[in-house]
Amino acid sequence: MIRVPISRALAMALALAIAWSPAPAQLPSLGDSYDLTPSAERRIGERIARELFRDPDYIDDPLLGEYVQSLWQPLLAAARARGEMTSDLDQRYAWRVLLGKDRTINAFALPGGWLGLHLGLVGVTTSRDELASVLAHELSHVTQRHIARMMAQDRRQTPWVIGAILLGALAASKSPDAGAALITGGQAAAIQGQLNFSRDMEREADRIGLGVLTQAGFEGQGFVTMFDKLHQASRLNDSGAYPYLRTHPLSLERMVDMRSRQPLGERPAAPRPDLEHALMAARARALSSGGVELQQALVREADTVPADASPERQAATLYAGSIAALQMRDAARAARYLERLKPLVASHRAGARIARLMSAELALASGDADRAQAEAGAASLRPETLLAAQAALRAGRPEQASQRLQTWVTVHPADGTAWQWLANAQSAQGQALRAIRSEAEARVAWLDYPAARDRLRAAQEMVRRGTTDHIEASIIDTRARAVESLFREQALER
Ligand SMILES: [Zn+2]
C-alpha cells in the first residue's frame, strides 16, 4: 500500500478520528477476521475516495483512463471466471481505479475495491503485461479481503480510525518533504504495521494475481520483468521515488517464486514492442506532476531522439515532447513534434487515433475550436465525446455540446466530469435549472453528497420561484429525495 510519513499522517488521523468519533453501537463489530462486512468496508472506501476525487492531484484523463480500463476489465472478468471474486464482493465493491498525477512509482488498494494508481508507475512500465501485473496483484489483495483482515486483526483501532489513518497517509505521501518524515520509533512502526500487508498476503497476492493475469490473456512474464525493474531501481535509487517497494517488500523469495511459476524453458523475455502502450506510458510521464523541469527534459528528449531508435521509442518520445510543449504553452513546438509523430503511427489503428486526438487537443489549445471539434470526430467514445463537447462549447455551439453530453451521461450516469461539462453547456444556453441539476449529479458521482444536496435544494428553491420546466422540476424532486438518503447514510458513518 502506501508510504506513511508519520507525523502528518498521525496528526490528520487523529483530527479525523475525532471528527468521525463513532458511537459504539454504529461500529461494525470486530470478532473474527471477516466481521467487517463488505458493505461497511465499501463505505469506508467511499469516504476515502471522496477525498481523492477532491484532491488536486487526482486526474481524470480520458485517454489514460480508457487505457487502464482496457487492462482492468479483462482482469476483473478473469477473477470472476476463476472464482476469486464472489458475487457478493462483485456487487458491493466499487472496483474502480483512480489515477493520481504523482510521479512516484506507486499503486495501492483501498478498502471497498478502490485502487489508486500513480502516473509515475504507469510511466515506467514498458509493456501492458507489466502494468497489468501490478493491477492483478492489487486486485488480488482486494479479492482476498486482505484489507478487511488487516483492519480486523488490529483490535486496538476501529476500522474508521484505520480509514482515517489511510487517508492521512495518502495526503502526506504526496508532500514534497515527505522524504524527511520517514518512519521512526516504536509507535510509528506499529502504525506502519497496520498499513502494510504481511509477507504471506504479498505472496498470496502474487500467486493469485499471476493466475488472474494469465487467464486474462496477458503474459505472466509481466510479473517477472516488473519485479526485475523494481529490483534494479531499488538498488540504484533510494530517494523515495519508489514507495511501492517500501509497502510491497520485494524479497528475493518473491522474485524467485514468480520466476519459477513461468512455463518451463521460458526465460524473462524482453517485452513485446507495443506502440499503444509506449504512447500511453509516454502520456503518463508527460502528465505526471514533474513541473517545468520535467517538461523541459521531455522536450529535450524529443529534440534529440536518435533516428535509428525503434519506431515505438521515437513515437513515444515525440508524443511526450508534444504534450510537454503544449503544457509549456509552446503550441508551435508541440505541432512540430506531432507532424514528426504522425507518419510513425499512421498504419497503426490505436496509434493513429492517439495522434488525431493530440491534434484536436492542440487545435483547442490554439483557439481553433472548429478544427478541434472536427478532429475529435463523432465516435461515441469518452475521449472523443469530452473533447468534441469542449470544442463545441468553445466555438459557441453549446447546444451541440449539450446534445452529445446528454447522450453520454444517459449511458454513463456516474461520469462526474461529463456532468460538469454538461452543466457548463446548459448554463451557456441559459438553462439555469438544468445546469444546477447537472452540477448536483457531478457531485453525486464524486461521492460528495453534501454538495449535491445543497445544489438540489437551490434548484428546488428556483422551482418554487416559478418555472415552466415541469419535467425537470419533477426529476429534481426525485433526485433530491435520493441524495438526501445517500447523505444520511454517509453522515451516519461518522
Ligand atoms: Zn502487495
Side-chain angles (χ1 to χ4, degrees), residues 49 81 116 138 155 183 260 262 269 358 389 411 493:
E138 297 300 330
R155 289 154 197 256
I183 294 157
S260 71
Q262 302 301 319
M358 185 66 215
V411 186
E493 285 132 27

PDB file of all heavy atoms in Angstrom, residues 49 81 116 138 155 183 260 262 269 358 389 411 493:
ATOM      1  N   ALA A  49     -12.353   7.649  -1.027  1.00  0.00           N
ATOM      2  CA  ALA A  49     -12.431   8.008  -2.451  1.00  0.00           C
ATOM      3  C   ALA A  49     -12.959   9.432  -2.626  1.00  0.00           C
ATOM      4  O   ALA A  49     -12.508  10.175  -3.497  1.00  0.00           O
ATOM      5  CB  ALA A  49     -13.325   7.008  -3.189  1.00  0.00           C
ATOM      6  N   ALA A  81     -14.165 -15.422 -13.389  1.00  0.00           N
ATOM      7  CA  ALA A  81     -14.159 -16.744 -14.006  1.00  0.00           C
ATOM      8  C   ALA A  81     -13.421 -17.751 -13.128  1.00  0.00           C
ATOM      9  O   ALA A  81     -13.777 -18.923 -13.081  1.00  0.00           O
ATOM     10  CB  ALA A  81     -13.518 -16.673 -15.393  1.00  0.00           C
ATOM     11  N   GLY A 116      -5.744   2.928  -6.189  1.00  0.00           N
ATOM     12  CA  GLY A 116      -5.053   4.149  -6.607  1.00  0.00           C
ATOM     13  C   GLY A 116      -3.860   3.764  -7.466  1.00  0.00           C
ATOM     14  O   GLY A 116      -3.169   2.784  -7.174  1.00  0.00           O
ATOM     15  N   GLU A 138      -2.723  -5.974  -7.074  1.00  0.00           N
ATOM     16  CA  GLU A 138      -3.568  -5.165  -6.181  1.00  0.00           C
ATOM     17  C   GLU A 138      -4.997  -5.716  -6.148  1.00  0.00           C
ATOM     18  O   GLU A 138      -5.640  -5.764  -5.103  1.00  0.00           O
ATOM     19  CB  GLU A 138      -3.580  -3.700  -6.619  1.00  0.00           C
ATOM     20  CG  GLU A 138      -2.219  -3.001  -6.551  1.00  0.00           C
ATOM     21  CD  GLU A 138      -1.625  -2.986  -5.144  1.00  0.00           C
ATOM     22  OE1 GLU A 138      -2.396  -2.960  -4.166  1.00  0.00           O
ATOM     23  OE2 GLU A 138      -0.383  -3.024  -5.030  1.00  0.00           O
ATOM     24  N   ARG A 155      -7.286  -5.001  16.997  1.00  0.00           N
ATOM     25  CA  ARG A 155      -8.462  -4.656  17.797  1.00  0.00           C
ATOM     26  C   ARG A 155      -8.296  -3.348  18.557  1.00  0.00           C
ATOM     27  O   ARG A 155      -9.212  -2.888  19.201  1.00  0.00           O
ATOM     28  CB  ARG A 155      -8.772  -5.787  18.779  1.00  0.00           C
ATOM     29  CG  ARG A 155      -9.317  -6.995  18.065  1.00  0.00           C
ATOM     30  CD  ARG A 155      -9.035  -8.282  18.836  1.00  0.00           C
ATOM     31  NE  ARG A 155      -9.206  -9.424  17.949  1.00  0.00           N
ATOM     32  CZ  ARG A 155     -10.251 -10.219  17.988  1.00  0.00           C
ATOM     33  NH1 ARG A 155     -11.213 -10.019  18.843  1.00  0.00           N
ATOM     34  NH2 ARG A 155     -10.340 -11.237  17.156  1.00  0.00           N
ATOM     35  N   ILE A 183       9.479   6.912   8.664  1.00  0.00           N
ATOM     36  CA  ILE A 183       9.011   6.337   9.914  1.00  0.00           C
ATOM     37  C   ILE A 183      10.147   5.985  10.857  1.00  0.00           C
ATOM     38  O   ILE A 183      11.102   5.328  10.481  1.00  0.00           O
ATOM     39  CB  ILE A 183       8.205   5.075   9.576  1.00  0.00           C
ATOM     40  CG1 ILE A 183       6.971   5.518   8.835  1.00  0.00           C
ATOM     41  CG2 ILE A 183       7.862   4.304  10.809  1.00  0.00           C
ATOM     42  CD1 ILE A 183       6.395   4.469   7.989  1.00  0.00           C
ATOM     43  N   SER A 260       9.833 -19.026 -10.972  1.00  0.00           N
ATOM     44  CA  SER A 260       9.655 -20.476 -11.032  1.00  0.00           C
ATOM     45  C   SER A 260       8.269 -20.850 -11.521  1.00  0.00           C
ATOM     46  O   SER A 260       8.038 -21.973 -11.933  1.00  0.00           O
ATOM     47  CB  SER A 260       9.899 -21.076  -9.648  1.00  0.00           C
ATOM     48  OG  SER A 260       8.823 -20.711  -8.798  1.00  0.00           O
ATOM     49  N   GLN A 262       6.790 -19.477 -14.071  1.00  0.00           N
ATOM     50  CA  GLN A 262       6.656 -19.269 -15.508  1.00  0.00           C
ATOM     51  C   GLN A 262       6.747 -20.632 -16.203  1.00  0.00           C
ATOM     52  O   GLN A 262       7.398 -21.541 -15.692  1.00  0.00           O
ATOM     53  CB  GLN A 262       7.756 -18.335 -16.026  1.00  0.00           C
ATOM     54  CG  GLN A 262       7.764 -16.975 -15.338  1.00  0.00           C
ATOM     55  CD  GLN A 262       6.453 -16.225 -15.487  1.00  0.00           C
ATOM     56  OE1 GLN A 262       5.859 -16.226 -16.560  1.00  0.00           O
ATOM     57  NE2 GLN A 262       5.981 -15.618 -14.408  1.00  0.00           N
ATOM     58  N   ALA A 269      11.746 -12.712 -21.150  1.00  0.00           N
ATOM     59  CA  ALA A 269      11.991 -12.152 -22.470  1.00  0.00           C
ATOM     60  C   ALA A 269      11.861 -10.638 -22.398  1.00  0.00           C
ATOM     61  O   ALA A 269      11.247 -10.097 -21.496  1.00  0.00           O
ATOM     62  CB  ALA A 269      10.967 -12.712 -23.446  1.00  0.00           C
ATOM     63  N   MET A 358      -4.497  14.042 -30.233  1.00  0.00           N
ATOM     64  CA  MET A 358      -3.481  15.048 -29.858  1.00  0.00           C
ATOM     65  C   MET A 358      -3.654  16.279 -30.732  1.00  0.00           C
ATOM     66  O   MET A 358      -3.545  17.425 -30.270  1.00  0.00           O
ATOM     67  CB  MET A 358      -2.084  14.438 -30.048  1.00  0.00           C
ATOM     68  CG  MET A 358      -0.941  15.325 -29.580  1.00  0.00           C
ATOM     69  SD  MET A 358      -0.966  15.575 -27.791  1.00  0.00           S
ATOM     70  CE  MET A 358      -0.370  17.265 -27.681  1.00  0.00           C
ATOM     71  N   ALA A 389     -17.145  17.978 -27.164  1.00  0.00           N
ATOM     72  CA  ALA A 389     -18.081  18.825 -26.422  1.00  0.00           C
ATOM     73  C   ALA A 389     -17.392  20.110 -25.962  1.00  0.00           C
ATOM     74  O   ALA A 389     -17.941  21.206 -26.091  1.00  0.00           O
ATOM     75  CB  ALA A 389     -18.633  18.060 -25.225  1.00  0.00           C
ATOM     76  N   VAL A 411     -26.084   7.014 -20.657  1.00  0.00           N
ATOM     77  CA  VAL A 411     -25.490   5.672 -20.609  1.00  0.00           C
ATOM     78  C   VAL A 411     -24.471   5.556 -19.472  1.00  0.00           C
ATOM     79  O   VAL A 411     -24.271   4.473 -18.922  1.00  0.00           O
ATOM     80  CB  VAL A 411     -24.809   5.338 -21.962  1.00  0.00           C
ATOM     81  CG1 VAL A 411     -24.317   3.895 -21.972  1.00  0.00           C
ATOM     82  CG2 VAL A 411     -25.768   5.576 -23.113  1.00  0.00           C
ATOM     83  N   GLU A 493     -21.984   7.371   9.221  1.00  0.00           N
ATOM     84  CA  GLU A 493     -20.727   6.646   9.391  1.00  0.00           C
ATOM     85  C   GLU A 493     -19.666   7.475  10.086  1.00  0.00           C
ATOM     86  O   GLU A 493     -18.499   7.194   9.981  1.00  0.00           O
ATOM     87  CB  GLU A 493     -20.223   6.174   8.040  1.00  0.00           C
ATOM     88  CG  GLU A 493     -21.008   5.005   7.556  1.00  0.00           C
ATOM     89  CD  GLU A 493     -21.438   5.200   6.133  1.00  0.00           C
ATOM     90  OE1 GLU A 493     -20.747   5.919   5.407  1.00  0.00           O
ATOM     91  OE2 GLU A 493     -22.483   4.658   5.758  1.00  0.00           O
TER      92      GLU A 493
END
